[in-house]
Amino acid sequence: MKHFLILLLMLMGISSCCNKNKLTVDYGRTKKMRKCYTIIVLLFIFSFLVSCSTVRYNIKRNKDLTVRQVNYFYKKNGNAFYLCSTYATFSVVWTYDEDKVEIYRLQEGRIRQKQIFKSKDIIQYAVVSLEDLEDELYRKCALELDGDSFGFKVEIDRKTYIADYAVNINCMKQGKYESNFLNKITNDIKIHKMWEVEYQ
């Protein structure tokens, strides 16, 4: 947005410049207009490149923070979960700690919102089977190679289990599963509105 406003001000200046001292000779006027249009096009290209570079930077920055938060919560509580998307500059990371769930909404590499809710049901992941989870998820929702992701890092019997599923989150949260683990996760995603587009 900032780059767009700067570009707009520059274009207004150029337009003003182009309209001043109009030449009476058609050739001179045409030559001057071509120069103005060339500058405008170059400015648009420059603005587009700067904007793309900024978006790429923010995507990487947010991805790095997501990884750091997941590792932090795993060390703290033995579990961490996340929702993200390939080209999004936002994500959600959450963790379960005894009788509560902590949710962190991240955007452009910063923690935008922190929420803590009481949780009546303790999440059961002591018997998580990653193969079964994958089969259930991909039966309900198609594999997305370039889109949303749901993943987690949990400790079970002193072993670390890491999973990342390329699955459409809106489809995933609507499903009913045989796994109590998945039902608990999807229910919390819906109840706490973890994947609402309004916060992007």
Side-chain angles (χ1 to χ4, degrees):
M1 187 65 182
K2 182 172 69 175
H3 299 301
F4 176 77
L5 291 174
I6 293 171
L7 177 62
L8 184 61
L9 289 172
M10 294 176 73
L11 291 178
M12 288 172 65
I14 292 170
S15 177
S16 176
C17 174
C18 290
N19 289 327
K20 285 181 180 178
N21 302 319
K22 291 184 178 180
L23 299 177
T24 55
V25 181
D26 288 343
Y27 174 76
R29 185 176 179 180
T30 302
K31 186 176 180 181
K32 188 174 183 180
M33 289 304 294
R34 282 179 181 171
K35 184 178 180 181
C36 289
Y37 288 138
T38 301
I39 294 172
I40 290 171
V41 170
L42 289 174
L43 284 174
F44 269 118
I45 293 172
F46 175 75
S47 178
F48 175 75
L49 292 175
V50 170
S51 177
C52 288
S53 177
T54 301
V55 170
R56 284 196 301 269
Y57 171 74
N58 286 332
I59 289 171
K60 182 183 183 304
R61 188 179 175 193
N62 200 75
K63 183 178 179 181
D64 292 344
L65 179 60
T66 301
V67 171
R68 289 199 304 271
Q69 289 295 116
V70 166
N71 289 332
Y72 170 75
F73 287 132
Y74 172 75
K75 290 178 181 178
K76 180 184 175 186
N77 298 326
N79 68 83
F81 302 81
Y82 62 89
L83 303 173
C84 62
S85 195
T86 305
Y87 300 111
T89 59
F90 59 89
S91 58
V92 181
V93 178
W94 75 100
T95 184
Y96 297 93
D97 181 17
E98 296 180 353
D99 62 343
K100 65 183 178 182
V101 54
E102 295 182 40
I103 303 169
Y104 290 75
R105 300 176 189 273
L106 315 179
Q107 188 166 19
E108 296 181 354
R110 297 179 181 178
I111 297 174
R112 178 168 176 177
Q113 185 181 53
K114 174 184 175 181
Q115 296 174 301
I116 299 177
F117 298 99
K118 290 289 183 181
S119 182
K120 295 180 181 178
D121 302 320
I122 298 174
I123 189 165
Q124 300 292 328
Y125 51 78
V127 290
V128 169
S129 170
L130 298 185
E131 290 183 3
D132 292 343
L133 290 183
E134 186 172 30
D135 289 343
E136 273 207 86
L137 277 174
Y138 292 142
R139 277 203 307 269
K140 297 281 186 181
C141 306
L143 175 70
E144 283 198 355
L145 295 178
D146 202 9
D148 298 344
S149 292
F150 156 66
F152 58 82
K153 186 175 183 179
V154 299
E155 182 179 321
I156 304 172
D157 297 330
R158 297 183 180 180
K159 289 181 64 177
T160 301
Y161 292 82
I162 300 173
D164 183 86
Y165 303 107
V167 61
N168 182 279
I169 294 166
N170 287 322
C171 174
M172 169 191 159
K173 68 182 185 181
Q174 300 303 324
K176 295 293 182 183
Y177 305 96
E178 295 176 13
S179 165
N180 291 330
F181 173 83
L182 274 180
N183 285 327
K184 167 65 175 170
I185 293 295
T186 54
N187 192 50
D188 283 348
I189 291 172
K190 287 185 286 187
I191 289 174
H192 302 305
K193 298 179 179 179
M194 294 188 198
W195 200 244
E196 297 294 324
V197 296
E198 286 81 4
Y199 93 92
Q200 296 177 17

